[in-house]
Amino acid sequence: MVNILLYGTGSVGSIYLHQLQRANCKVTAVCRSNYTAVQQSGITLHSPLFGTVTYRPDHIIRSLTDCPQGVVYDYILITTKALSPDTRPTLAEQLRPLLTSPHTTPQTAIVLAQNGIDIEQALADAYPTHPLLSAVIYLPATQSTPGITHHAERLNRIEVGTYPASAPAHHQAAASHFRDLMAAGGGDAILHPDIQTARWSKLLLNASWNPICALSLCTDGGFLLTSTPFARDLVWGIMMEIVALAAKVGVPGVDEGAAREKLAIAERRAETGTGREMSMLQDVRAGRPFEVEVILGNTVRLGRRWGVEMPRLETVYALAKGRYDVLVGALGS
């Protein structure tokens, strides 16, 4: 029996809970804002892939310090949002009580299923003996109310690999096993020899569409219809800045062809009137903090270090950071 600790039971985490239970894993779920709802009624998922189902974690806890006695975890799956790197405690600090407890061994793998680039090193430095797996997610889902998750389409893909790519053989084996579990649970799971190519490929989508949709309050397909051809030119220009940075840094496979494939997704949605609300837009509408630094801030700072001009992305970063700071100030008042 594989024991999983799921940290972050929002829209993505709640689907992965069901998926891992379908793969005969036992899952302890850390439910923070939705603890009461999940404890009382479980999680209800509406999905074209899994149908309408209601289920419960094997163990439900409020925090990482509440893990049940006698359970040693094979994987710690992290699906919380990656917010500002200045947030305290950091993710590494949050995990420390768990990773220095009898609930883990050096073989306990950490699966970092979060957005952005340059997000793994702090965990790798803090826990060098643990396998660290980096995962890229394509799973359009929302949690409409606590404990109720809607999966918008059949797309459910996770791409996983070790960090670093040259990790030892038993780290590679942990990545392969996790891929197999996610596939057994009914999703599309891909193992990458170098996960950074997948991370940067998703950055083409995240760094362009997320801030644009959050600032314009448009869906991706809807935005393309607002100011033809200027809307498309803005998205394409941001993607080309990321392509230029990837080439400079040495990330393979993030080229004009990959950008064209990503842009085509929104173009099809514009044609069919099926635009999607990106995660940043969902957060803005709900008054929640969003992932401005790991997606945008890390990218533009890397661009400056490498001497790559990114005027469009720097502009949307500055605007999105302004919206974020106002939002966080409002939440703290």
Side-chain angles (χ1 to χ4, degrees):
M1 180 65 68
V2 177
N3 284 308
I4 310 282
L5 177 65
L6 174 64
Y7 185 34
T9 317
S11 56
V12 169
S14 63
I15 294 176
Y16 283 172
L17 165 61
H18 180 58
Q19 199 167 325
L20 288 164
Q21 287 181 326
R22 282 168 52 94
N24 295 318
C25 298
K26 284 191 175 180
V27 183
T28 299
V30 181
C31 297
R32 297 172 297 173
S33 61
N34 58 2
Y35 176 87
T36 300
V38 175
Q39 184 187 50
Q40 292 177 350
S41 305
I43 295 169
T44 296
L45 170 64
H46 303 279
S47 167
L49 184 62
F50 297 115
T52 296
V53 290
T54 298
Y55 47 94
R56 295 176 179 273
D58 295 280
H59 302 284
I60 176 173
I61 56 178
R62 287 186 184 273
S63 72
L64 290 169
T65 58
D66 297 331
C67 295
Q69 296 298 314
V71 177
V72 178
Y73 297 106
D74 301 285
Y75 293 93
I76 301 170
L77 173 57
I78 301 164
T79 57
T80 57
K81 285 190 179 295
L83 298 175
S84 171
D86 297 328
T87 300
R88 292 294 182 272
T90 66
L91 179 59
E93 291 167 345
Q94 293 174 54
L95 293 175
R96 186 165 301 282
L98 178 68
L99 288 167
T100 56
S101 77
H103 291 293
T104 62
T105 72
Q107 286 70 46
T108 299
I110 305 167
V111 186
L112 190 58
Q114 294 181 319
N115 283 318
I117 60 169
D118 287 351
I119 65 170
E120 300 98 344
Q121 193 60 50
L123 284 177
D125 291 341
Y127 308 108
T129 63
H130 290 270
L132 177 56
L133 314 183
S134 184
V136 178
I137 297 167
Y138 294 88
L139 181 55
T142 58
Q143 186 174 226
S144 57
T145 58
I148 307 295
T149 296
H150 298 269
H151 182 195
E153 58 188 72
R154 294 183 65 86
L155 176 63
N156 178 358
R157 185 167 82 246
I158 186 168
E159 305 181 32
V160 64
T162 61
Y163 183 89
S166 58
H170 71 281
H171 294 206
Q172 304 285 350
S176 179
H177 187 207
F178 186 77
R179 183 275 313 272
D180 292 345
L181 291 172
M182 296 299 284
D188 181 17
I190 300 170
L191 183 65
H192 278 275
D194 187 349
I195 193 61
Q196 296 309 313
T197 296
R199 277 210 169 273
W200 280 72
S201 181
K202 189 175 182 184
L203 187 68
L204 290 168
L205 285 174
N206 271 340
S208 56
W209 282 118
N210 258 310
I212 285 173
C213 292
L215 293 167
S216 68
L217 304 183
C218 292
T219 65
D220 54 354
F223 180 76
L224 289 178
L225 302 175
T226 61
S227 59
T228 306
F230 302 102
R232 183 191 185 282
D233 290 348
L234 173 60
V235 177
W236 183 251
I238 291 173
M239 288 184 175
M240 288 300 97
E241 290 175 2
I242 294 168
V243 166
L245 179 59
K248 188 77 171 181
V249 173
V251 180
V254 184
D255 51 24
E256 187 171 332
R260 194 175 296 112
E261 290 179 3
K262 301 300 185 188
L263 182 57
I265 297 170
E267 289 176 328
R268 288 193 295 269
R269 290 172 178 168
E271 292 174 359
T272 59
T274 56
R276 293 277 181 254
E277 286 195 357
M278 299 292 104
S279 61
M280 278 190 193
L281 174 55
Q282 294 176 32
D283 290 336
V284 166
R285 291 193 187 280
R288 297 187 298 254
F290 51 91
E291 299 169 310
V292 63
E293 291 298 344
V294 295
I295 294 174
L296 303 176
N298 286 358
T299 306
V300 296
R301 285 186 285 271
L302 189 64
R304 289 203 170 185
R305 287 203 300 272
W306 284 84
V308 176
E309 293 188 1
M310 311 186 82
R312 297 173 185 83
L313 192 57
E314 288 186 2
T315 298
V316 296
Y317 165 64
L319 292 171
K321 185 60 165 61
R323 180 177 285 276
Y324 177 90
D325 285 355
V326 168
L327 177 64
V328 171
L331 289 173
S333 61

